[in-house]
């Protein structure tokens, strides 16, 4: 068995890990990057997450009038595969081109807190390292629904992204962010979509008016919602699956589909790592337990990205890199406690972007709250929406009534994924709502909607 030694061992090719490996490699440190699959060089985002899903959403939106949906779907999947393959190659070359970095493809498992074995078929090597960073990401949660796992019609998010065969009908179990994003994208290809949500409404963590606006847009796109639905089983029939559920009133019901997708969240990927051999503690959810500096119960072992149980966003993984890099090469002061106003976006059409507190959360915290909100279609100061041909959605700001501080915002509109970054920066800098309202913005732009929305205090 071969043995290798490194200053830094990174397990998992995700955003934070690959950036850290490249930075320390360029600084002259000896680095080994271990990735389980050559098809995942670069991590989840570029291969089976952010990039392919957003590419398919864009392709769906650009389908020419009259173009056959199935043919366009197949072409979109092929185009997306080409994009991800190019990015995957670039990510591999980014590390492989560095003399100080070695990329090893195989499955990693701890032998103790300083030794890791990597296996690939009959091959096995042992790696020792002074510092180890676990960056293995997360994997889909498959709910314990009778018949679901064995169904020939069960699909995963990865399968939907990679298969050029367009499903004739799809049932999505779960009305959260992932479920709604896929539903919005698939409906643009004229695929009938049914969403079964166990709660009484979708997006239960968002304010009710925002969630209602999202649901209405998706209903208008042809998506069918069944809320209060408790899925009881999946059975396969001739050429399709039958999803059984109890409706909100307890009545048994079914829906048929050629594809069944469980969009019920993702859990940290720690199975098989043998963390116990290294003395690394995990939380009840299976995440690696870390402190504010992302150190595990073994101070030389860090966990970054989804595997540490934090927000499952690529840009948070990138910030994890900054924290660990500061520990290894800087002053060691940066921590997760520094994070303020981290935004996120649900890439439906139009997108929903959120940052900070919802109105419900702010009131539950005992804050004195004002709300400024307006429908996009009613905004005189945002002609860009009309120019782009999409005036659906709304903007909502949650403000501190005593300080005029921006506590949070929900933006459901074209350009929302960009607008929210301006709001998040304003929140971090302590910019008041009045300052944002009275600022000078280019015209015609979506940003100038702030002038009008923040002048409209509704409650």
């Amino acid at each position: 068995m071969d043995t290798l030694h490194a200053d830094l061992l990174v397990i998992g090719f995700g955003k934070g890990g690959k950036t850290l490996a490249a930075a320390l490699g360029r600084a002259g440190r000896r680095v080994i990057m271990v990735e389980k699959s050559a098809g995942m060089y670069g991590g989840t985002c570029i291969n089976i997450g952010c990039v392919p899903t957003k590419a398919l959403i864009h392709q769906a939106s650009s389908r020419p009038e009259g173009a056959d949906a199935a043919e366009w779907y197949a072409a979109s999947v092929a185009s997306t595969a080409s994009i991800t393959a190019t990015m995957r190659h670039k990510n591999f070359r980014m590390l492989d081109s560095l003399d100080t970095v070695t990329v090893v493809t195989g499955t990693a498992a701890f032998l103790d807190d300083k030794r890791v074995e990597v296996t690939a078929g009959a091959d096995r090597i042992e790696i020792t390292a002074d510092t180890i960073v676990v960056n293995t990401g997360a994997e889909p949660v498959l709910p314990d629904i009778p018949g679901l796992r064995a169904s020939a019609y069960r699909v995963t998010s990865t399968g939907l992204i990679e298969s050029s065969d367009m499903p004739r009908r799809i049932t999505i179990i779960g009305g959260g962010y992932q479920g709604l994003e896929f539903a919005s994208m698939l409906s643009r290809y004229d695929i009938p979509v049914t969403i079964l949500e166990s709660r009484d409404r979708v997006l239960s963590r968002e304010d009710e008016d925002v969630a209602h606006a999202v649901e209405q847009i998706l209903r208008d796109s042809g998506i069918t919602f069944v809320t209060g639905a408790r899925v009881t089983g999946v059975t396969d029939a001739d050429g399709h699956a039958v999803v059984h559920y109890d409706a909100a009133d307890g009545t048994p019901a079914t829906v048929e589909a050629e594809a069944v997708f469980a969009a019920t969240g993702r859990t940290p990927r720690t199975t098989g790592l043998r963390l116990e051999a290294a003395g690394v503690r995990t939380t009840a959810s299976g995440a690696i337990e870390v402190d504010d500096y992302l150190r595990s119960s073994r101070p030389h072992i860090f966990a970054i990205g989804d595997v540490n149980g934090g927000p499952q966003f690529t840009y948070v993984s990138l910030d994890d890199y900054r924290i660990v890099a500061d520990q290894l090469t800087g002053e060691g002061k940066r921590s997760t406690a520094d994070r303020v106003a981290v935004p996120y976006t649900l890439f439906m059409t139009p997108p929903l972007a959120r940052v900070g507190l919802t109105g419900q959360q702010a009131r539950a915290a005992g804050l004195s709250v004002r709300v400024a909100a307006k429908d996009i279609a009613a905004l005189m100061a945002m002609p860009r929406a009309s120019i782009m041909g999409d005036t659906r959605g709304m903007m909502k700001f949650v403000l501190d009534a005593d300080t005029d501080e921006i506590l949070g915002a929900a933006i459901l509109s074209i350009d929302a994924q960009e607008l929210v970054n301006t709001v998040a920066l304003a929140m971090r800098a302590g910019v008041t709502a009045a300052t944002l309202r009275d600022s000078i913005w280019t015209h015609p732009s979506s940003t100038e909607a702030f002038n009008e929305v923040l002048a409209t205090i509704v409650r």
Side-chain angles (χ1 to χ4, degrees):
M1 181 183 64
D2 292 330
T3 301
L4 302 175
H5 178 75
D7 299 314
L8 171 68
L9 166 62
V10 180
I11 305 173
F13 215 129
K15 182 67 173 181
K18 68 187 180 187
T19 310
L20 182 68
L24 267 65
R26 294 188 189 104
R29 305 283 183 93
R30 174 65 177 157
V31 179
I32 297 176
M33 163 66 76
V34 175
E35 171 52 51
K36 187 174 182 179
S37 168
M40 288 297 289
Y41 293 149
T44 295
C45 179
I46 70 165
N47 290 294
I48 59 173
C50 324
V51 171
T53 55
K54 279 54 176 183
L56 286 171
I57 290 168
H58 171 72
Q59 291 289 344
S61 301
S62 60
R63 176 161 65 101
E65 186 176 351
D68 181 79
E71 292 179 1
W72 190 259
Y73 186 86
S76 298
V77 170
S79 173
T80 298
S82 177
I83 293 170
T84 57
T86 298
M87 296 186 71
R88 186 163 54 246
H89 176 70
K90 287 182 177 179
N91 273 264
F92 176 75
R93 289 293 303 155
M94 176 185 72
L95 295 186
D96 192 57
S97 62
L98 298 173
D99 292 339
T100 52
V101 179
T102 300
V103 178
V104 176
T105 305
T107 302
F110 282 92
L111 295 170
D112 56 37
D113 67 341
K114 288 290 184 71
R115 296 184 303 138
V116 171
E117 68 170 353
V118 179
T119 57
D123 296 328
R124 181 173 178 269
I125 63 171
E126 183 177 308
I127 301 171
T128 62
D130 301 325
T131 301
I132 302 174
V133 174
V134 182
N135 182 45
T136 49
E139 57 192 353
V141 173
L142 189 64
D144 188 20
I145 296 172
L148 175 61
R149 185 179 297 274
S151 174
Y153 302 98
R154 177 177 66 87
V155 297
T156 64
S157 56
T158 302
L160 285 170
I161 290 167
E162 294 179 346
S163 175
S164 60
D165 294 330
M166 187 179 81
R168 289 196 297 114
R169 295 171 296 179
I170 186 168
T171 293
I172 298 176
I173 302 172
Y177 306 109
Q178 184 188 44
L180 296 188
E181 187 169 296
F182 269 90
S184 177
M185 182 266 287
L186 293 170
S187 70
R188 305 279 291 190
Y189 292 98
D190 299 335
I191 300 170
V193 180
T194 299
I195 292 180
L196 301 178
E197 169 55 47
S198 60
R199 296 182 175 88
D200 60 358
R201 65 177 175 89
V202 299
L203 298 181
S204 57
R205 286 185 287 177
E206 306 296 345
D207 280 335
E208 189 170 353
D209 54 349
V210 175
H212 176 75
V214 168
E215 183 175 331
Q216 191 58 56
I217 286 174
L218 295 177
R219 283 187 185 276
D220 291 344
S221 300
I223 296 169
T224 300
F225 287 86
V226 182
T227 56
R230 186 177 69 86
V231 179
T232 57
V234 178
T235 57
D236 287 359
D238 185 15
H240 63 270
V242 180
V243 182
H244 304 260
Y245 66 94
D246 291 337
D249 62 1
T251 304
T254 62
V255 60
E256 297 179 355
E258 284 69 37
V260 180
F261 173 36
T264 47
R266 295 172 67 82
T267 189
R269 190 189 297 272
T270 55
T271 302
L273 283 173
R274 293 206 299 257
L275 295 171
E276 66 281 359
V280 173
R281 293 194 298 266
T282 57
T283 67
S285 67
I288 295 178
E289 182 181 293
V290 294
D291 62 15
D292 288 350
Y293 302 97
L294 304 177
R295 292 183 183 273
S296 73
S297 49
R298 289 290 185 264
H300 65 286
I301 300 177
F302 296 81
I304 64 178
D306 298 353
V307 76
N308 67 26
Q312 294 183 355
F313 302 123
T314 295
Y315 44 92
V316 171
S317 179
L318 180 61
D319 195 58
D320 285 355
Y321 143 73
R322 298 184 187 111
I323 292 169
V324 175
D326 189 43
Q327 287 290 306
L328 300 180
T329 64
E331 297 180 354
K333 295 180 179 179
R334 191 173 186 126
S335 78
T336 57
D338 300 328
R339 292 175 182 159
V340 177
V342 177
Y344 57 90
T345 300
L346 163 60
F347 281 89
M348 53 181 280
T349 304
L352 167 68
R354 277 272 296 108
V355 64
L357 301 177
T358 64
Q360 181 178 334
Q361 290 169 337
R363 293 186 179 92
L367 298 171
S368 179
V369 174
R370 293 187 304 155
V371 173
K374 202 161 187 178
D375 290 342
I376 300 301
L379 286 172
M380 298 297 292
M382 189 182 172
R384 175 166 165 77
S386 296
I387 293 169
M388 299 300 292
D390 193 346
T391 60
R392 296 173 297 173
M394 64 178 292
M395 281 193 196
K396 178 178 182 179
F397 286 83
V398 180
L399 313 175
D400 189 307
D402 298 324
T403 65
D404 199 37
E405 175 187 1
I406 303 168
L407 300 175
I411 305 172
L412 174 62
S413 75
I414 62 164
D415 300 331
Q417 76 280 8
E418 304 294 345
L419 294 171
V420 74
N421 291 319
T422 299
V423 177
L425 183 60
M427 292 172 65
R428 293 182 205 120
V431 173
T432 64
T435 300
L436 200 65
R437 178 196 66 207
D438 297 335
S439 292
I440 300 171
W441 310 108
T442 57
H443 175 83
S445 69
S446 295
T447 319
E448 61 185 333
F450 298 158
N451 300 140
E452 185 174 339
V453 175
L454 287 167
T456 310
I457 305 300
V458 295
R459 60 184 180 277

